[in-house]
Amino acid sequence: MSDDVILKVRDVYRTYDIKGGMFKKASRLTAVKGVSLDVERGSTLAVVGESGCGKSTLARMLTMIDAQTSGTIEIDGLPIDISKTGISKEMRQKVQIVFQNPYGSLNPRQKIGHVLEEPLLLNTDMPAAERRDLALQMLEKVGLQPEHYGRYPHMFSGGQRQRIAIARAIMMKPKLLVLDEPVSALDLSVQAQILNLLADLQEEMNLTYVFISHDLSVVRYIADKVMVMYFGEVVEYGTRDEVFDNPQHDYTKTLFAATPRADVDSIRKRLAARAA
Amino acid sequence: MTNTSPATKADTSKLETESRNATKAQLAEFWYYFSQNKGAVVGLVVFALLVLTAIFAPLLAPHDPDFQYRDSFLVPPFWEEGGKAAFLLGTDAVGRDILSRLIFGARLSLLVGVMVVTIALTGGIVVGVVAGYMRGAVDTFIMRIMDIILAFPSLLLALVLVAILGPGLINAMIAIAIVLQPHFVRLTRAAVLTERSRDYVVAAKVAGAGHMRLMFKTILPNCLAPLIVQATLSFSNAILDAAALGFLGMGAQPPTPEWGTMLAEAREFILRAWWVVTFPGLAILITVLAINLVGDGLRDALDPKLKRS
Amino acid sequence: MSLLEIRNLRVEFDTAKGPFRALDGVDYAVDAGEVLAIVGESGSGKSVAMLATMGLLPDSATITADKMEFEGLDLRTLTTKERRKVIGRDISMIFQEPIASLNPCFTVGFQLGETLKTHTELKGRQIKDRVVELLTSVGIPDPSGRLNAFPHQMSGGQCQRVMIAMAIACSPKLLIADEPTTALDVTIQKQILDLLVRLQQDSGMGLIMITHDMGVVAETADRVIVQYKGRKMEEADVLSLFENPQNPYTKALLSALPENATGDRLPTVSDFAEAGGF
């Protein structure tokens, strides 16, 4: 099914020039080094790595916030190279992003209704009444109430805000959704709700996810394919079972070994080792 | 997806009430923190009285502020020996009622405050947002100009500007606004710099917001808190500067009942008739103090760092 | 006798919307040589209890307790000065944001030295030796070279190591770690947790781990207190908690872990709330 690849990334690099100062030479930092990947429609690719590994830079390139330095990105057959062609409304409707911190990603002075309507206002000619209907539908879809429409973000809990951020991202019915650590700022019980919501939405709207995370247990739960990044490079790329059952790269192994285990056997083993 | 519109299900008017309630809750919270600061409440009351006085000046003033009573030069306040009940706070050297002049002067002072702050704030916000948002050469260029303006002693610069533009209240206001503007530019720029990299700005950008929308609709409302505080403090500053210019003869011209000008006219009688200098001075002091107290309270209520402790 | 014993602790905050009860009658006890984990989600009051013990809550908080003793010393009646003596020497605390917890204006060596100067009798040369010793014990490579490093020149993990060094500088009897690894990467988290447990075992101090992460609990704790909305839901030793949780909320939390997922959907706490009625 190679023709159903919705996101095609080939050999993408991103470098940052660090300006030199009086005592410092100018230098160049390569945040993403030659990443290639394919994501099939309706599936979830998880990008795993620690801070500074370039996973967020990758997310910013996929969502057209930053341009790639070299390489090609193709979303739903549409080539993306914003440094050359700019961003068209058509491109914008293909891909959206959900950020990690639900407290920072909503404008504190904007009521929820306006948050949701903003993408429609900017990209379509829809009349106000229709926009409001869509926003209300969307609120219901992500598990919020219509009366939340006129409230401010600070009146909501972290989980509710993340629902709002998700609702905003899917207002334009994008094909691809980039989720940049969407649950890592949330409590465990809320995390479960949001993961369930994401699963429901994926099924309903046939969404494709690029799920960026450092939490392996979440990745194992949600991903179809997993990509592990380390210092800007892809060190492991395969289906979930391949990667989790048989990690090839040393870094992946270290990562798995470091993840805390919350099962009874591991606790027993630890306590036994401690008593000894 | 269902095709029934939830808006028809949920009563539209209910949504609007809900939305209004949210706004009300916001205001209620603001008032709670503001009213914690007792000084600010006192300042607000005084300021409100001042505004009322200015609005109803013709009704409140016992005399015409410009009418000269030839038979009563330098009459002391009513409780002093030789005072007349008709002139509660006495008269000045040409027989004008000081109380009436002060009451009408409130109009001018408030006008000066409002005008100066409006001009300085609007200009400062636009220039500051552009500088903070654009960064780079534009930013450097704007900020260097502001640094140059700030390098002059403010009153001196205002004097120079008035000298160029010609004396008069309007020109004085323009001069003071120009002098105060760099503070707003700096403040706006600093606030924009911290806000522009926040996720919600990026999110608006991803949603397709253009530069103008990002600058003035997304970022600016979140930078207003420090600006409001600065605006109140500048309000009092403007009144002070206008009075100073008036005193130096470069602001409002006689016989305008402006407080600073009144002081200037009374200069030669300081030793003989204390009331001609004391009351305009007190008026300036009380007004400026009240506004500063309000500004202090606003800072308490708007500063998120103090609020979320 | 327990090292720290608190009975019926209540904490209330004054807010714009009236008093808010952050903790409602919770008991805590920790013994020397024991690792107690306090686990809960945001709003559970898990940090508030220990901040109250340390006297670090703002003035808007009202603290009442039937008993609040550290080694038989009543913490409620201490003056600020006496409290300062106990805190920092016998009880110390590390926080979530290691980089923000260090003063950016001073070098790491200086800040460690200050702690030693305040709480011990050491002088000049001895202080420097002890600082190097401490940095070595928390696993900082090239400790004598790192003395003159400023916090911003170090990574988050290293800063947390320095914070730990500072916390154990006076060989405290009780160390409180408030989400010590939440801001760190998984591999660094592992190292820091191992370090904390090793230090705790070597010195025999009591360790209180405040966390929201069940994985951290499973990796470190002896005994666990589960909190929810300011109340204690369950207290048990770590094995029986994970093996056989009694309280519906604990059950809910454990089954919400993605690694315990069985079907297509994750059970959420609200599913249990309806059934369990907490």
Side-chain angles (χ1 to χ4, degrees):
Chain A
M1 289 219 307
S2 60
D3 52 330
D4 212 18
V5 168
I6 185 166
L7 174 65
K8 204 175 195 171
V9 175
R10 287 290 172 273
D11 207 27
V12 160
Y13 280 81
R14 167 79 204 185
T15 56
Y16 289 100
D17 287 324
I18 298 168
K19 249 203 259 172
M22 207 185 290
F23 304 108
K24 222 164 138 192
K25 261 196 285 178
S27 60
R28 176 168 283 187
L29 180 95
T30 310
V32 171
K33 301 173 190 162
V35 170
S36 301
L37 56 90
D38 287 308
V39 186
E40 280 159 31
R41 196 182 298 276
S43 73
T44 302
L45 169 75
V47 181
V48 184
E50 304 198 321
S51 51
C53 75
K55 57 187 197 296
S56 289
T57 311
L58 181 66
R60 289 174 73 91
M61 288 191 288
L62 295 181
T63 47
M64 297 175 278
I65 298 167
D66 291 335
Q68 69 268 33
T69 312
S70 68
T72 58
I73 299 173
E74 212 180 283
I75 298 172
D76 208 16
L78 204 67
I80 306 282
D81 191 350
I82 58 168
S83 61
K84 297 208 182 82
T85 60
I87 309 171
S88 66
K89 283 183 180 174
E90 194 194 355
M91 284 151 83
R92 208 166 262 138
Q93 295 189 7
K94 301 274 185 207
V95 56
Q96 281 296 326
I97 185 166
V98 175
F99 293 97
Q100 168 177 14
N101 182 355
Y103 292 88
S105 66
L106 297 175
N107 186 344
R109 306 262 163 196
Q110 204 175 23
K111 287 181 177 175
I112 301 312
H114 297 277
V115 172
L116 297 184
E117 287 172 19
E118 195 170 36
L120 297 176
L121 178 77
L122 293 169
N123 294 300
T124 64
D125 307 323
M126 223 177 261
E130 205 173 318
R131 284 204 303 266
R132 198 186 57 197
D133 283 357
L134 271 178
L136 288 168
Q137 267 175 24
M138 198 52 83
L139 278 177
E140 207 172 76
K141 197 185 246 185
V142 297
L144 294 168
Q145 307 298 317
E147 54 262 33
H148 293 154
Y149 180 86
R151 294 196 189 157
Y152 285 101
H154 73 98
M155 299 171 167
F156 295 90
S157 67
Q160 286 175 318
R161 287 189 213 201
Q162 202 59 306
R163 284 174 193 270
I164 296 163
I166 291 171
R168 170 178 61 191
I170 57 176
M171 277 309 277
M172 298 291 298
K173 304 203 167 51
K175 303 277 186 295
L176 176 71
L177 199 56
V178 175
L179 304 151
D180 190 354
E181 307 245 12
V183 294
S184 56
L186 303 175
D187 278 328
L188 189 56
S189 58
V190 182
Q191 168 179 311
Q193 292 169 3
I194 297 293
L195 289 176
N196 284 338
L197 172 68
L198 286 173
D200 291 346
L201 290 173
Q202 181 165 44
E203 198 174 323
E204 192 180 320
M205 303 175 66
N206 196 24
L207 282 166
T208 310
Y209 289 154
V210 172
F211 192 99
I212 292 174
S213 180
H214 68 273
D215 187 337
L216 287 168
S217 56
V218 172
V219 167
R220 186 168 205 162
Y221 172 72
I222 201 168
D224 297 310
K225 272 183 160 182
V226 178
M227 185 170 107
V228 182
M229 286 180 79
Y230 187 55
F231 284 112
E233 278 175 272
V234 177
V235 294
E236 191 107 24
Y237 181 44
T239 64
R240 175 184 61 180
D241 295 341
E242 277 167 22
V243 173
F244 275 88
D245 296 343
N246 188 18
Q248 298 297 316
H249 195 274
D250 280 347
Y251 174 70
T252 320
K253 289 175 193 162
T254 322
L255 204 60
F256 286 167
T259 307
R261 288 172 195 285
D263 58 289
V264 176
D265 290 339
S266 322
I267 297 173
R268 229 181 235 134
K269 228 180 271 169
R270 174 176 71 84
L271 291 176
R274 186 166 179 176
Chain B
M1 203 197 298
T2 50
N3 278 329
T4 51
S5 147
T8 46
K9 273 190 285 169
D11 201 349
T12 324
S13 65
K14 206 176 123 199
L15 281 180
E16 270 161 24
T17 357
E18 192 59 46
S19 172
R20 265 199 302 278
N21 283 345
T23 317
K24 251 187 248 163
Q26 197 101 342
L27 286 174
E29 192 190 6
F30 166 79
W31 178 249
Y32 172 83
Y33 286 104
F34 185 83
S35 58
Q36 293 294 91
N37 186 334
K38 296 288 173 259
V41 179
V42 172
L44 189 65
V45 171
V46 173
F47 184 68
L49 288 177
L50 206 73
V51 172
L52 289 177
T53 313
I55 293 171
F56 299 109
L59 299 177
L60 289 171
H63 303 277
D64 181 337
D66 294 333
F67 188 81
Q68 304 179 349
Y69 291 90
R70 301 280 171 192
D71 52 342
S72 346
F73 294 148
L74 289 176
V75 173
F78 71 94
W79 63 86
E80 291 263 311
E81 202 176 320
K84 294 181 186 168
F87 307 111
L88 287 178
L89 298 181
T91 59
D92 64 7
V94 287
R96 292 173 299 197
D97 178 40
I98 290 186
L99 179 63
S100 306
R101 286 179 71 74
L102 285 180
I103 289 172
F104 276 90
R107 288 185 148 187
L108 285 173
S109 288
L110 291 179
L111 178 75
V112 167
V114 170
M115 289 299 290
V116 166
V117 168
T118 313
I119 299 171
L121 192 66
T122 329
I125 283 179
V126 172
V127 176
V129 168
V130 169
Y133 184 83
M134 298 289 188
R135 304 297 313 270
V138 180
D139 183 24
T140 315
F141 178 72
I142 291 176
M143 291 324 288
R144 286 308 83 79
I145 292 181
M146 294 305 141
D147 286 344
I148 292 171
I149 298 180
L150 281 173
F152 288 99
S154 61
L155 195 62
L156 190 70
L157 184 62
L159 267 177
V160 171
L161 287 170
V162 174
I164 297 169
L165 298 168
L169 194 60
I170 302 287
N171 288 344
M173 289 196 282
I174 295 172
I176 297 167
I178 293 174
V179 170
L180 288 179
Q181 174 148 317
H183 296 282
F184 288 101
V185 175
R186 279 193 159 185
L187 209 59
T188 316
R189 175 178 171 269
V192 170
L193 282 184
T194 52
E195 292 296 323
R196 72 192 285 267
S197 56
R198 301 270 304 272
D199 277 348
Y200 70 86
V201 180
V202 181
K205 208 158 137 194
V206 174
H211 293 304
M212 277 305 185
R213 192 182 169 88
L214 282 179
M215 280 195 272
F216 294 104
K217 195 121 196 209
T218 311
I219 299 179
L220 182 60
N222 290 291
C223 302
L224 284 181
L227 286 173
I228 291 172
V229 176
Q230 177 68 25
T232 32
L233 299 181
S234 294
F235 197 101
S236 59
N237 237 339
I239 293 177
L240 269 183
D241 280 357
L245 284 179
F247 184 75
L248 294 171
M250 301 297 243
Q253 296 302 306
T256 324
E258 201 269 332
W259 296 342
T261 317
M262 284 170 73
L263 276 178
E265 289 168 30
R267 205 162 12 181
E268 46 193 298
F269 309 105
I270 287 179
L271 294 178
R272 270 201 293 143
W274 57 268
W275 57 94
V276 277
V277 273
T278 309
F279 293 118
L282 267 180
I284 296 173
L285 175 85
I286 291 170
T287 312
V288 170
L289 187 65
I291 296 170
N292 280 348
L293 285 173
V294 172
D296 216 35
L298 283 175
R299 192 194 323 255
D300 286 357
L302 294 172
D303 190 337
K305 254 187 267 164
L306 293 170
K307 206 175 355 187
R308 271 163 218 143
S309 60
Chain C
M1 189 181 67
S2 299
L3 188 62
L4 176 71
E5 192 174 355
I6 301 171
R7 220 171 287 146
N8 198 16
L9 179 67
R10 275 166 212 273
V11 177
E12 270 186 356
F13 288 96
D14 284 332
T15 66
K17 296 178 189 79
F20 168 74
R21 183 163 287 185
L23 267 184
D24 192 4
V26 188
D27 302 342
Y28 301 91
V30 66
D31 292 325
E34 184 188 37
V35 184
L36 170 71
I38 302 176
V39 62
E41 308 190 309
S42 48
S44 63
K46 57 185 189 296
S47 301
V48 173
M50 290 307 126
L51 290 173
T53 314
M54 300 281 284
L56 294 175
L57 287 177
D59 292 340
S60 61
T62 324
I63 306 163
T64 56
D66 293 349
K67 189 176 180 186
M68 199 186 222
E69 284 185 3
F70 178 73
E71 287 195 303
L73 187 72
D74 194 343
L75 291 173
R76 288 171 303 170
T77 54
L78 287 187
T79 61
T80 324
K81 209 173 153 194
E82 290 167 328
R83 189 190 280 271
R84 234 186 350 242
K85 235 189 231 164
V86 178
I87 285 161
R89 199 187 56 205
D90 290 337
I91 313 178
S92 58
M93 192 159 180
I94 52 176
F95 298 94
Q96 180 176 351
E97 289 290 337
I99 299 174
S101 309
L102 287 167
N103 188 334
C105 298
F106 298 106
T107 62
V108 166
F110 178 81
Q111 293 187 49
L112 268 165
E114 281 294 287
T115 319
L116 288 171
K117 240 182 256 171
T118 327
H119 293 292
T120 63
E121 305 286 293
L122 297 177
K123 292 256 156 18
R125 186 75 221 163
Q126 292 170 308
I127 290 189
K128 203 182 163 200
D129 290 345
R130 174 81 176 129
V131 169
V132 173
E133 192 187 316
L134 281 168
L135 288 179
T136 319
S137 74
V138 294
I140 295 221
D142 182 23
S144 41
R146 281 323 226 168
L147 283 182
N148 294 322
F150 284 94
H152 70 267
Q153 294 168 323
M154 306 174 60
S155 67
Q158 291 209 320
C159 283
Q160 194 60 293
R161 283 173 195 272
V162 172
M163 282 309 296
I164 294 173
M166 208 177 273
I168 60 164
C170 313
S171 319
K173 296 181 178 122
L174 177 64
L175 177 63
I176 301 168
D178 189 355
E179 305 258 10
T181 57
T182 307
L184 304 174
D185 281 326
V186 191
T187 46
I188 312 294
Q189 158 167 308
K190 171 89 176 155
Q191 295 166 12
I192 296 287
L193 290 180
D194 287 350
L195 171 68
L196 278 172
V197 171
R198 179 172 62 78
L199 289 170
Q200 183 269 334
Q201 266 169 342
D202 291 352
S203 66
M205 62 183 174
L207 174 63
I208 298 180
M209 289 284 278
I210 301 170
T211 182
H212 69 278
D213 189 337
M214 279 299 187
V216 171
V217 175
E219 294 267 311
T220 55
D222 295 326
R223 208 153 47 79
V224 187
I225 290 176
V226 182
Q227 270 183 217
Y228 180 66
K229 289 193 177 160
R231 272 181 295 167
K232 190 196 281 185
M233 287 288 133
E234 182 162 2
E235 180 170 357
D237 66 86
V238 63
L239 196 58
S240 35
L241 187 95
F242 278 87
E243 209 166 27
N244 187 18
Q246 296 300 313
N247 187 284
Y249 177 70
T250 320
K251 281 182 198 163
L253 263 191
L254 286 174
S255 57
L257 284 173
E259 54 255 51
N260 293 350
T262 42
D264 260 358
R265 295 181 66 82
L266 287 166
T268 61
V269 168
S270 46
D271 296 343
F272 285 80
E274 282 152 27
F278 53 81

